[in-house]
Amino acid sequence: HIRGGRADENLYIIDNVSVKDPISGQGLGIYLSAESIKELEVITGGFNAEYGQAMSGLVNVETKEGGDNWSGSFSAKTDNLGGYPSNHQNTNNVEFSLGGPDPITGNLLPSVNLEIPGESSIFVNGYGLISDTHLPAAPTTLIPREQAYEPFAMREENNYSVLSKYTYRPIPTLKFAYSYGRSLQINQAYFDAIVEDRTYFPLDFLNILDKYNTVTREGIQQSFHVKQTLNSTTFYELTLGNFYNRVHSASEGKHYSEYVQPVDMDPILYEVGNDGEVVVKNGDGLWDDGNGNSWHDHYNS
């Protein structure tokens, strides 16, 4: 929250393109790895005229570009190496980055006597995190929005992102850049207000978490950027961009018309009242079968 405003009053920009979900107001459309960030700017007031749709604050991110020399990084983390410790959350995190001069225009084309003036570079970043988290996990794999995404729904929380960027400078004062970012999140979103307006763990679904809602978030961001410096005090920028975002929440991948009313039948308890009458009570406050109480799907492009 910035300057007392609500979270949905902030604006999020990646490579000059807004990635704020215009329908829900949330800034959860694109997952961006910290390794792919070149510069991050947080503005809490006094926005320039180029920014709109922000009432509280602005988070402006510029992603990395490839350099004159090849460089990269790779990391892999786990809390389940050889089964130790015993209270692990079954978490694995893998990330890589690679950037450098474009091998096509720098090596391949000159080898066949084709030369393109200027310099060009590429940058690629990939990120993946899968975990059963510290909360109870569903006994079976989650069911995402599309069947093609099922291989990515391996655990309770599944987050993936890729980013690629191509930069071309025909002359030192002129730059063209194209970036493409895509992220996919599949989880049960225990603390996501989109699911039944909950902000807590769904204790009533504890015995049937596989029937609780699976949330699939997908975001795709593209931008084509031109920047030219005319002199020591003047430059101009042009950006063409597109942002696609889709949020889907459903129980067992069903349409809401296929939902079954939740029931609480077990155990069957017998209670004797003060007058000696036997009262039969079903259930323990936890659902034993049925589906969630919400279904959600929205997208924007």
Side-chain angles (χ1 to χ4, degrees):
H1 299 267
I2 297 177
R3 294 190 295 113
R6 297 181 179 181
D8 59 4
E9 294 178 350
N10 299 323
L11 180 64
Y12 303 88
I13 295 177
I14 299 177
D15 288 338
N16 296 305
V17 176
S18 171
V19 293
K20 178 179 179 179
D21 186 338
I23 298 177
S24 68
Q26 297 178 337
L28 303 175
I30 288 285
Y31 183 91
L32 193 64
S33 166
E35 284 292 326
S36 63
I37 296 176
K38 175 183 178 181
E39 183 178 352
L40 186 147
E41 179 184 26
V42 179
I43 304 176
T44 59
F47 311 125
N48 294 332
E50 61 186 295
Y51 302 119
Q53 303 175 351
M55 297 181 64
S56 295
L58 168 70
V59 179
N60 189 15
V61 178
E62 181 183 358
T63 58
K64 290 181 179 179
E65 302 175 355
D68 296 331
N69 300 306
W70 284 100
S71 64
S73 64
F74 176 82
S75 69
K77 305 174 185 177
T78 182
D79 68 346
N80 185 21
L81 190 62
Y84 179 85
S86 59
N87 63 340
H88 61 80
Q89 299 176 18
N90 201 20
T91 299
N92 296 98
N93 178 207
V94 177
E95 182 172 9
F96 73 90
S97 295
L98 182 65
D102 178 17
I104 296 178
T105 59
N107 299 313
L108 183 60
L109 294 183
S111 67
V112 293
N113 297 323
L114 291 176
E115 299 236 2
I116 297 179
E119 300 177 348
S120 58
S121 64
I122 58 174
F123 175 80
V124 179
N125 171 266
Y127 174 91
L129 182 146
I130 56 176
S131 174
D132 280 331
T133 76
H134 65 284
L135 296 170
T140 59
T141 56
L142 305 182
I143 301 178
R145 175 174 59 86
E146 294 185 11
Q147 186 176 5
Y149 295 157
E150 289 183 359
F152 299 98
M154 291 182 281
R155 296 184 190 164
E156 192 70 22
E157 182 176 350
N158 309 272
N159 299 327
Y160 309 93
S161 72
V162 293
L163 173 75
S164 60
K165 194 169 187 178
Y166 183 84
T167 306
Y168 173 57
R169 291 182 174 85
I171 55 177
T173 57
L174 177 62
K175 181 179 76 171
F176 299 92
Y178 171 76
S179 66
Y180 176 90
R182 185 166 186 169
S183 64
L184 177 66
Q185 297 172 289
I186 304 171
N187 53 60
Q188 290 196 306
Y190 291 145
F191 304 103
D192 194 331
I194 280 184
V195 184
E196 301 183 8
D197 294 327
R198 292 176 182 265
T199 54
Y200 53 89
F201 177 77
L203 184 60
D204 46 353
F205 279 87
L206 180 62
N207 293 336
I208 53 170
L209 284 174
D210 54 333
K211 296 179 181 295
Y212 186 63
N213 284 50
T214 296
V215 178
T216 306
R217 292 182 178 271
E218 183 180 12
I220 302 174
Q221 173 258 336
Q222 300 182 76
S223 68
F224 176 73
H225 184 66
V226 180
K227 182 176 182 180
Q228 183 174 18
T229 301
L230 302 178
N231 52 53
S232 59
T233 59
T234 306
F235 71 93
Y236 73 87
E237 293 181 288
L238 172 66
T239 300
L240 301 176
N242 178 66
F243 171 57
Y244 169 85
N245 178 56
R246 185 163 187 175
V247 181
H248 179 82
S249 171
S251 173
E252 296 187 292
K254 295 181 178 179
H255 188 264
Y256 61 83
S257 61
E258 304 172 301
Y259 276 21
V260 176
Q261 179 96 11
V263 293
D264 179 14
M265 296 297 295
D266 297 323
I268 300 177
L269 304 177
Y270 298 92
E271 182 178 288
V272 179
N274 294 332
D275 55 359
E277 181 182 0
V278 177
V279 180
V280 179
K281 292 185 176 181
N282 292 332
D284 54 2
L286 304 177
W287 299 127
D288 299 305
D289 198 6
N291 298 111
N293 297 322
S294 71
W295 186 90
H296 182 100
D297 186 67
H298 81 257
Y299 72 93
N300 65 272
S301 180

